[in-house]
């Protein structure tokens, strides 16, 4: 039994054939001796052995390297040359926001407060672009007394909202009286518009790559930083949707522009009193220069008017179609900006004449004017827009609303209307 693992004498078993310590000889008929105890003997590692091992593996390593290079090219380098269609073209964290700015201009106390309210909203909503306020060069930031509201607001703009102040010479213009018209009548007609060309000075702010400028009689509902990263264009503007489809005219209420000394010169020449037509204001001049070259922005996000909630002839021009149902709450959610344009309702810093409000407040859709009226969404949104503006005006500027003008307007001799200069429309 001692040598049972060797099977029949003289015939080796599998153990004998694969056991390196076996001393069995198939030609030896003598009984096998006991094997020596097995012990591990590590092989010696020498530079020469490493070299020969590397030579044996070199073809495999070269093959792996070639496969890796092909894989890298197909997944990384090729994507740099031909990025996927839906890959993001920019990263907000890598943008140098110092190259972009929102600009406003102020020519009186009312519009100075409006501009401050715009900057407060941009700051609160997290806009990262810089803010620039152009103001009359005769103003200053030395607060003379507690009633020096303009200087106080300029200082607050800098300290509270990081606004950069730029003194400018305000562009004022007066057309010559027509035959049979007095100078007072001419001035009365142009009071609302006599400084509107000041916005063209935004084109002179060439320290910035791009600028967003919009009229300050507005409520900002969301910042518009993403517009700065649109493809290059001298200007990007909206269509005046309220005259569509009969006219395709650009509106100057909102402009995304690339500052340029050349463009500023073109605008200055077009606004020159010797060449400008009597009825050409900022909107007409910009449309004449850029109607065929401007990038067109969607008005449903940046051109919502407060008067849209009072529209009696439908909302197809604003919606851009005749199949979509008008939803005032949804329209407000979609908008980044609401412009106050509500003729004959005065601007929101002016109180409403009671009779005017009664005649023009948005009507409910079901049984309006009765105790059972319902579906009054337009009225609710419209009233809240005005009330919110007045609350913020009081909180930010410490200004109360201007007293309501007379209604109906009283026509006086020597003036086209007692509404002149009140900010109506």
């Amino acid at each position: 039994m001692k040598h049972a693992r060797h099977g029949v004498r003289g015939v080796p078993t599998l153990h004998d054939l694969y056991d390196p310590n076996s001393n069995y000889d198939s030609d030896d008929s003598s009984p096998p001796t006991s094997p020596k105890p097995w012990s591990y003997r590590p092989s010696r590692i020498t530079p020469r052995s490493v070299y020969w091992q590397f030579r044996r593996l070199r073809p495999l390593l070269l093959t792996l390297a070639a496969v890796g290079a092909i894989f890298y090219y197909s997944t990384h380098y090729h994507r740099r040359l031909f990025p996927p269609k839906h890959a993001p073209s920019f990263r907000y964290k890598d943008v140098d926001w110092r190259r972009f700015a929102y600009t406003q201009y102020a020519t009186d106390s009312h519009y100075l407060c409006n501009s401050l309210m715009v900057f407060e909203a941009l700051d609160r909503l997290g806009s990262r672009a810089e803010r620039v306020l152009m103001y009359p060069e005769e103003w200053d930031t030395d607060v003379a007394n507690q009633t020096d509201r303009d200087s106080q607001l300029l200082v607050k703009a800098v300290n509270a909202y990081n606004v950069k102040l730029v003194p400018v010479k305000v562009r004022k213009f007066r057309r010559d009286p027509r035959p049979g018209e007095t100078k007072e009548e001419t001035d009365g007609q142009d009071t609302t518009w006599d400084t509107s060309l000041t916005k063209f000075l935004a084109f002179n702010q060439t320290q910035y790559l791009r600028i967003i400028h919009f009229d300050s009689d507005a409520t900002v509902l969301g910042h518009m930083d993403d517009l700065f990263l649109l493809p290059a264009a001298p200007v990007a503007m909206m269509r005046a949707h309220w005259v569509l489809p009969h006219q395709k005219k650009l509106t100057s209420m909102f402009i995304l522009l690339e500052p340029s000394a050349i463009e500023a010169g073109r605008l200055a020449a077009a606004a020159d009193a010797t060449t400008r037509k009597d009825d050409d204001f900022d909107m007409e001049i910009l449309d004449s220069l850029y109607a065929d070259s401007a990038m067109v922005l969607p008005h449903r996000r940046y051109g919502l008017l407060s008067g849209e909630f009072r529209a009696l002839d439908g909302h197809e021009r604003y919606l851009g179609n005749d199949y979509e149902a008008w939803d005032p709450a949804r329209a407000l959610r979609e908008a980044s900006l609401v412009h106050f344009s509500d003729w004959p309702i005065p601007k929101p810093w002016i109180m409403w004449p009671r009779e005017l409000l009664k005649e023009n407040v948005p009507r409910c859709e079901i049984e309006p004017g009765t105790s059972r009226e319902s579906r009054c969404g337009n009225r609710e949104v419209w009233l809240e827009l005005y009330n919110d503006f007045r609350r913020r005006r009081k909180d930010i500027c410490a200004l109360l609303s201007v007293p309501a003008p007379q209604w109906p307007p009283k026509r006086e001799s020597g003036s086209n209307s007692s509404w002149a200069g009140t900010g109506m429309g």
Side-chain angles (χ1 to χ4, degrees), residues 6 27 86 89 96 103 167 172 214 302 316 357 401:
H6 294 285
D27 295 332
H86 303 291
S89 58
D96 184 2
T103 63
K172 294 185 178 182
F214 53 86
Y302 310 107
E316 289 81 6
L357 178 63
S401 297

Side-chain angles (χ1 to χ4, degrees), residues 197-389:
L197 300 188
T198 305
K199 67 177 61 173
F200 293 169
L201 297 179
F203 283 84
N204 288 328
Q205 307 304 313
T206 54
Q207 68 271 31
Y208 296 106
L209 182 64
R210 239 174 180 173
I211 281 174
I212 289 177
H213 183 93
F214 53 86
D215 293 344
S216 62
D217 51 347
T219 288
V220 179
L221 301 175
H223 71 70
M224 294 142 278
D225 289 1
D226 54 322
L227 295 181
F228 290 117
L229 306 175
L230 288 176
V235 297
M237 302 168 66
M238 300 176 295
R239 299 285 187 200
H241 64 271
W242 53 91
V243 297
L244 292 173
H246 307 294
Q247 298 183 55
K248 291 187 177 180
K249 192 173 183 178
L250 297 174
T251 173
S252 60
M253 69 167 63
F254 187 100
I255 314 171
L256 171 66
L257 61 94
E258 296 177 355
S260 163
I262 295 176
E263 297 301 320
R266 292 180 66 202
L267 287 164
D272 187 85
T274 60
T275 58
R276 183 181 65 84
K277 296 180 181 179
D278 289 347
D279 297 329
D280 280 357
F281 303 109
D282 54 332
M283 181 169 168
E284 287 75 20
I285 292 174
L286 287 168
D287 183 70
S288 67
L289 292 180
Y290 301 111
D292 298 326
S293 61
M295 179 189 302
V296 178
L297 298 174
H299 63 261
R300 283 186 63 164
R301 183 172 178 184
Y302 310 107
L304 178 60
L305 304 180
S306 58
E308 191 67 35
F309 300 96
R310 294 176 48 241
L312 301 177
D313 56 350
H315 304 275
E316 289 81 6
R317 285 178 292 185
Y318 177 77
L319 295 174
N321 59 72
D322 57 2
Y323 57 82
E324 188 175 352
W326 168 254
D327 182 345
R330 178 183 174 186
L332 195 65
R333 287 195 304 269
E334 291 178 347
S336 295
L337 205 61
V338 179
H339 303 263
F340 288 95
S341 181
D342 244 329
W343 177 262
I345 298 293
K347 293 296 185 181
W349 56 90
I350 303 172
M351 294 300 294
W352 295 316
R354 185 178 299 275
E355 291 301 318
L356 175 65
L357 178 63
K358 183 178 179 180
E359 295 173 8
N360 292 276
V361 67
R363 300 287 186 255
C364 297
E365 297 180 39
I366 299 177
E367 298 190 44
T370 70
S371 59
R372 297 184 300 276
E373 63 181 8
S374 60
R375 293 186 64 181
C376 306
N378 285 306
R379 176 189 296 178
E380 293 170 359
V381 170
W382 188 81
L383 289 173
E384 180 55 28
L385 282 172
Y386 278 87
N387 291 334
D388 169 73
F389 186 97

Side-chain angles (χ1 to χ4, degrees), residues 19 176 183 253 266 273 334 353 376 383 392 395 400:
D19 187 355
D176 293 332
K183 183 178 184 299
M253 69 167 63
R266 292 180 66 202
E334 291 178 347
C376 306
L383 289 173
R392 290 186 294 112
D395 294 341
L400 298 176

